[in-house]
Amino acid sequence: MRLIRMAILSFHTVENDWINKNWTIILGNVDIVSQIIGNAPEIKDKQRQLIFAAIKLENQLNRTPDNYIIVPDAERRKVEYAIEAIANIFSVVERCQREITSPSPCIAFFPETNDEIEWLESMSGIYAEHEAIPDAQFKLNLDDVLIKSLSDRLNGVALMAEALAQLITGQFNN
């Protein structure tokens, strides 16, 4: 059985030859395969690749009492590390910002034997320890009351402003 972690890599750069091709890279015991995102709307100066990182699972998967597959943490971390490493390498080579985001669902299992196919078919799904949290967008009215209420928290406001000024790239964003 193989664990597959999917991610979308986005690079803030003009189109390049490697972006127009599917490619395969092996980092340690993780196979990373890219897929061009076909009919997705174009984004000016932003190139995207759908990535599949796969690792062979050495042990039988665990399951919950209601038959949900528990994703093995060590292997999940290995494939996520490999995805981030390849994104970092491409970012340095292209000298550009990069983003890593996750499609939903972002984990899959690839059976390699008939017994594994039967076992997967008998499962209810994949156990999600943390449900994805929707990104709520809201706007505050800038007025005297808001400014006064933040006046004793200017260090926190500065920290938040700095964080918002940076591109989030250090982790998978679900």
Side-chain angles (χ1 to χ4, degrees), residues 6-172:
M6 293 158 278
I8 298 170
L9 304 184
S10 300
F11 299 94
H12 296 260
T13 185
V14 294
E15 199 167 317
N16 199 325
D17 288 341
W18 65 267
I19 299 240
N20 288 325
K21 297 177 184 169
N22 297 332
W23 42 263
T24 301
I25 296 173
I26 299 172
L27 288 176
N29 58 348
V30 178
D31 299 328
I32 304 174
V33 178
S34 78
Q35 177 68 47
I36 297 168
I37 300 177
N39 296 328
E42 288 187 32
I43 301 173
K44 184 177 175 154
D45 296 333
K46 191 174 189 181
Q47 307 305 317
R48 297 171 292 176
Q49 288 272 329
L50 179 60
I51 304 300
F52 302 89
I55 189 169
K56 182 159 181 58
L57 299 172
E58 300 300 327
N59 299 315
Q60 173 68 32
L61 290 166
N62 294 321
R63 62 183 176 184
T64 66
D66 21 343
N67 274 346
Y68 284 88
I69 302 167
I70 298 172
V71 178
D73 193 56
E75 288 86 353
R76 179 191 54 80
R77 288 178 189 270
K78 285 180 185 176
V79 292
E80 288 177 352
Y81 178 82
I83 290 170
E84 189 165 10
I86 202 66
N88 290 341
I89 291 168
F90 289 164
S91 176
V92 169
V93 167
E94 289 294 315
R95 296 180 185 199
C96 66
Q97 291 178 324
R98 57 98 171 132
E99 297 172 44
I100 303 171
T101 55
S102 297
S104 182
C106 62
I107 293 282
F109 294 97
F110 184 80
E112 297 177 305
T113 67
N114 287 337
D115 288 342
E116 290 174 347
I117 291 170
E118 288 177 21
W119 188 83
L120 283 176
E121 287 177 348
S122 73
M123 294 295 107
S124 300
I126 298 173
Y127 176 71
E129 190 171 329
H130 304 288
E131 292 295 322
I133 299 171
D135 184 19
Q137 300 289 324
F138 59 90
K139 201 170 212 174
L140 297 173
N141 292 325
L142 185 60
D143 57 17
D144 291 342
V145 174
L146 179 64
I147 292 172
K148 186 176 180 182
S149 68
L150 293 174
S151 65
D152 65 336
R153 297 172 176 86
L154 294 180
N155 286 341
V157 171
L159 182 63
M160 183 68 152
E162 185 61 31
L164 291 170
Q166 302 300 315
L167 182 63
I168 299 172
T169 59
Q171 43 182 292
F172 290 86

